[in-house]
Structures are given as structure tokens and as C-alpha cells.
Amino acid sequence: MTELALVALASLFAGCVDAIVGGGGLILVPALFGMYPGAAPATLLGTNKGSGIWGTAWATWQFSRRVQMPWAAMLPAAAAAFAGSFAGAWALTLASPELLRQALPFVLVAVLAYTLARKDLGRHHAPRLAGAAQTALACAIGAAIGFYDGFFGPGTGSFFVFLFVRLLGFDFLNASASAKLLNTATNAAALLLLAGRGHVWWHVAAVLAVANVAGSLIGTRLALRHGAGFVRVAFIVVVAALIAKTGWDAFVR
């Protein structure tokens, strides 16, 4: 019960961070591995997905009530993200992600440097595309990052946010709202695959899901209350943490 209480607390915090800008896995996954060191990694990752999907889905619904979601573009993009995540998981069975693991910290450093250099990036919502062009680009982003999520995973939500800001012209608040929808789709694909192979502790995932949704409610309200500037700062903090975590995993641990 002590272990479950501690990972539930981690899930609450992860849901809060994930709702704002993504990156909740930075908190919950290490907590699960720390509390259950004897468990199979796939089971802990499946349990993480089984709880996290509820938080991202809840955040999507909360954002959609206050932010005008471009559903015509994002629903097809979510389908592309789902398919991409499945394809990435299949590719993982054929190739090792070791090269990507070592390249990821450098990609994240570039993302962080670009965001810091462009002080106005993501502060104003000015979509560059509309109609079929917006849908096509959103689907391309969904498929590419969905594949990455299935194949490797860390920072998926943050990559969605960055690309929506940089390529589609969204502000950070609207980008985060749309990212939640696509992240829910990629989580669903991974969960379907892992659950089908028995890699989910449903009794643990159910408790973590309640905590994750509670954290998601807090994070969504903070993002909506404080706007794009707050989400931008949270994005910078999360990407910096991702650089430290992925750099450690790739070159130290």
C-alpha cells in the first residue's frame, strides 16, 4: 500500500505536468521503476499508459470547452498518430532505438535553443494554414511523432507542442490543447498493444488513473488561467528536464 500511495502521488503530479505541456512520463515512469524494481519493464510501461491515457483524454475534453479546437484537422491527425504509434511499436521489434537514444538529447537542445532565441514564439495564436493544407500538415506531424512515440517515446507531447507552434502557427496554449488529443491517440495505440500481451497491471493502473485525472484537472486549469506565456515557461522547463534525463540515459547510465 505504501508503494501504491507513492506512485499515486507521482501520477497526480505527472497528470498536472502532462496537462500543461506534456512530459508526465518523466515523473511517473521513474517512480514505477523505483517502486517495483522486480517487474518487467513492459508491464510498468503498460501500466503507465493505462493510467496516463485517462489524464490526457480528460485534459483534451477540458481544453476543448475553453479553447477552439480545430477538429477538422486534428481528428484526422489523431488517427494518423494512432497508426504511426502502432507502426513505431512494430518497428521496435525489428530494430534497436540505441542510435535515436543518443541523438535525442541533441535534438532537444536544438528545440530549447530555438524556443529561447525566438522570444515571441508561441505567444500569439496566428494559424498559418487552413482547410486541407492544415489537415495535411497536422496529419504528417501526427504520423511522424506517433511513430516516434511507438518506437521510443520520451518527450512526445513536447514535440507535438513545438511543431504545432513552429509549423502551424499556434500559440502554446492552443498547441498544448491539440497535442493532448494526439497524445491520447498514441497512448491508446501503445496501450492496445501492451494490454493485448498482458503487460498492464489493471489494479494499479486504475488507482493511478484516478490520481492522474485529478492532476490533469489542476494542470488544465492552471494553463487556461495563465495562458500561453505560462505554458511557454512550462515547456522550457520540461524540455530542459528532458535534456538532462535523456542525456543521462544515453551517455551516463
Side-chain angles (χ1 to χ4, degrees):
M1 290 301 295
T2 301
E3 287 86 352
L4 186 58
L6 288 173
V7 292
L9 183 62
S11 184
L12 179 107
F13 189 32
C16 181
V17 172
D18 214 42
I20 298 170
V21 76
L26 276 173
I27 300 162
L28 185 52
V29 171
L32 285 166
F33 275 83
M35 290 297 105
Y36 304 105
T43 300
L44 297 180
L45 293 173
T47 302
N48 170 60
K49 293 294 186 184
S51 61
I53 190 173
W54 296 100
T56 52
W58 179 263
T60 302
W61 182 68
Q62 287 289 310
F63 273 119
S64 70
R65 298 173 62 197
R66 300 281 297 278
V67 174
Q68 188 170 357
M69 296 273 285
W71 294 109
M74 290 305 150
L75 287 176
F82 183 95
S85 183
F86 241 108
W90 173 77
L92 182 60
T93 66
L94 305 177
S96 169
E98 188 58 33
L99 182 62
L100 182 57
R101 182 191 304 276
Q102 294 179 354
L104 183 59
F106 300 101
V107 174
L108 288 166
V109 166
V111 168
L112 181 60
Y114 186 88
T115 304
L116 291 173
R118 293 285 302 273
K119 303 294 185 183
D120 60 337
L121 184 71
R123 294 189 181 276
H124 305 288
H125 188 59
R128 297 191 179 96
L129 302 171
Q134 185 183 66
T135 302
L137 184 52
C139 286
I141 293 170
I145 303 302
F147 182 90
Y148 165 80
D149 192 27
F151 187 70
F152 191 49
T156 295
S158 298
F159 279 129
F160 275 135
V161 170
F162 178 76
L163 291 175
F164 287 157
V165 169
R166 178 64 184 86
L167 300 181
L168 294 181
F170 290 5
D171 67 9
F172 271 98
L173 181 62
N174 282 270
S176 184
S178 294
K180 296 298 161 292
L181 176 63
L182 271 65
N183 216 168
T184 301
T186 61
N187 284 343
L191 180 60
L192 188 61
L193 183 68
L194 291 168
R197 298 185 176 183
H199 287 303
V200 180
W201 284 342
W202 291 110
H203 60 293
V204 175
V207 175
L208 300 188
V210 173
N212 201 267
V213 169
S216 178
L217 178 60
I218 296 170
T220 305
R221 288 185 175 179
L222 284 172
L224 290 170
R225 178 178 299 173
H226 298 291
F230 172 78
V231 179
R232 175 190 166 92
V233 171
F235 175 82
I236 290 170
V237 171
V238 168
V239 171
L242 276 166
I243 291 169
K245 175 67 167 60
T246 56
W248 174 272
D249 288 346
F251 300 108
V252 180
R253 190 176 68 178

